[in-house]
Amino acid sequence: MKKFIIPIAAGAAVLMTLSGCANRDATTEPSEDYPTKSITLVVPYQAGGASDLSARTLAAAMEESLGQSIIVENRTGGAGSVGLSFLSGRPADGYSIGYLPVETVMLQYQGYDLDPAAFDVLGQIVAVPATIAVSADSPYQTLQELLDAAEANPGAITVSNSGAGSIWQAATTALNDAAGVELKAVPFDGGAPAVTAAIGSQVDAVIAGISETSVAASDGRLRVLAILDTVASDALPGVETAQDLGIDVTIGGWGAIGAPAGLPASVRENLAAAVKVAAESDAFRDIINASGNLPVYSAPDEFSSFYNAESERFSNLFAE
C-alpha cells in the first residue's frame, strides 16, 4: 500500500520574496496614509466554501487594523485559476489582495498559465484537512465499504471535488493510490457545489475540506466517513482518520493572503501586519476552529520558503 502525504502547514523560515514575475514595469508609490479607500479581497472560489469562509473571516478582522472596508469578491472557475489570474493582473498598489489556496502552486503543472511568483505573499492563515463524505442515505456506512465497492467496480464510484486541478482532486488520486482502488473524480466549480452534489446523491461521495462537510454532517445531510489527516477533529465527533482505519493517506490544503507582485515596501509591511493581527485574533481563530479548519499563522518570510518548496514538490508529484 503506497503512503501518500501532503503537508498542510508551513514551517521553514527563509526569506524568498516572490516578485520576479510582476507584470508591471513600475509601481506608483502610495500616499503615506495608505490605505485611503476600500480594499478588494479576491476569493477564487464560490461563496460558502472553506476558502470563502477563511477569507471573509479574516477580512472582517483586518478592517479594524487598516481602518478601511475590505470587499470580498468571488471570481470562480478553473480550479481557482480565473480568480488568481485576475488578481495577478491587478495594480500592485495594495488595493487588490486575495486568498491564495494551495492550488496557486499546483496549477502551473496542469496546463494553466499561472506563475506562483506573480504574487507577494503576506502570510499563511489556515490549514484545511481533507474529509471524505457520503449522503446521509448512502448505502456506504464506512470508508471500507466505499473502497470495497470501488475495488469491485473500478471507475464506477464517483467522488466530487472542487475542480479539475484542485487539491481535492489530488486527494482522490492520493486515496486511490493508498487504497489500491479506482475512485472516479468528478470536478465541480468549488467546494460548496461539490458538497451539494453529494448531499443530493448526484455522486457517490465527496472529498472536500472539513469546514465544507462538517456543517452538512451536523444537520444530518452528510455522513463523513473519514478525515484524511493525522488527527481527528472536534468538529466531527466520532469520525476517525483514514490512518486509524488502516489507509495511510494524509492530505489537505492551506490558505494564505497575497497580492500582485511588486507591492511597495511600506504597503506590503502594512498589509502583512494587518494579516498577522487578524490571523492571530480570537475572533478569527474561534470561527476557524469551530469550522474544523486549523488557524495557522505563518509570517511572510517563513511562508515564502514553504510556498516555494510546495511549488517544487508539486512539480515532482505531477511529473510522476
Side-chain angles (χ1 to χ4, degrees):
M1 203 171 276
K2 182 178 178 181
K3 186 174 183 180
F4 201 108
I5 299 176
I6 290 185
I8 60 177
V14 179
L15 179 61
M16 297 176 71
T17 302
L18 304 172
S19 56
C21 291
N23 58 357
R24 292 151 291 272
D25 295 328
T27 303
T28 303
E29 285 298 321
S31 61
E32 293 182 359
D33 54 351
Y34 167 87
T36 60
K37 61 182 181 180
S38 62
I39 297 166
T40 297
L41 194 160
V42 177
V43 178
Y45 300 113
Q46 288 190 358
S51 299
D52 185 69
L53 171 68
S54 298
R56 289 180 184 275
T57 304
L58 191 87
M62 286 178 67
E63 287 180 339
E64 186 173 349
S65 293
L66 294 171
Q68 293 289 342
S69 297
I70 298 180
I71 301 168
V72 176
E73 183 176 304
N74 298 88
R75 287 183 172 263
T76 66
S81 64
V82 171
L84 292 170
S85 295
F86 172 80
L87 177 63
S88 70
R90 300 297 296 159
D93 58 6
Y95 291 101
S96 294
I97 61 176
Y99 181 87
L100 305 183
V102 62
E103 286 84 358
T104 309
V105 299
M106 296 171 58
L107 292 170
Q108 62 184 320
Y109 307 118
Q110 300 174 78
Y112 293 94
D113 184 16
L114 184 72
D115 189 337
F119 305 101
D120 282 344
V121 295
L122 302 169
Q124 182 184 3
I125 62 170
V126 68
V128 186
T131 60
I132 182 165
V134 297
S135 67
D137 58 0
S138 169
Y140 307 114
Q141 299 294 318
T142 67
L143 177 60
Q144 192 59 55
E145 288 182 5
L146 182 74
L147 296 177
D148 287 345
E151 184 175 15
N153 302 280
I157 302 300
T158 55
V159 182
S160 59
N161 62 67
S162 58
S166 70
I167 187 63
W168 306 136
Q169 185 183 56
T172 307
T173 301
L175 183 55
N176 281 341
D177 289 347
V181 299
E182 186 184 340
L183 297 164
K184 181 180 179 180
V186 180
F188 282 77
D189 191 14
V195 168
T196 299
I199 292 171
S201 298
Q202 295 174 255
V203 291
D204 295 303
V206 59
I207 289 183
I210 194 169
S211 67
E212 295 166 329
T213 57
S214 61
V215 174
S218 68
D219 62 20
R221 292 176 294 159
L222 279 183
R223 178 165 57 252
V224 179
L225 303 181
I227 301 169
L228 309 186
D229 195 17
T230 56
V231 295
S233 171
D234 290 341
L236 290 169
V239 178
E240 295 182 276
T241 69
Q243 288 195 347
D244 289 338
L245 297 171
I247 308 298
D248 198 1
V249 58
T250 301
I251 189 167
W254 46 255
I257 300 297
L263 287 175
S266 60
V267 171
R268 186 168 58 248
E269 290 168 5
N270 283 346
L271 285 170
V275 169
K276 174 178 169 60
V277 170
E280 293 182 337
S281 69
D282 289 341
F284 179 78
R285 294 179 65 84
D286 288 350
I287 290 175
I288 298 305
N289 276 322
S291 76
N293 290 336
L294 307 174
V296 176
Y297 174 71
S298 181
D301 56 346
E302 298 173 311
F303 185 66
S304 291
S305 176
F306 178 76
Y307 183 90
N308 281 278
E310 285 282 85
S311 180
E312 179 66 22
R313 187 170 58 80
F314 279 110
S315 172
N316 296 331
L317 178 65
F318 286 110
E320 294 179 358

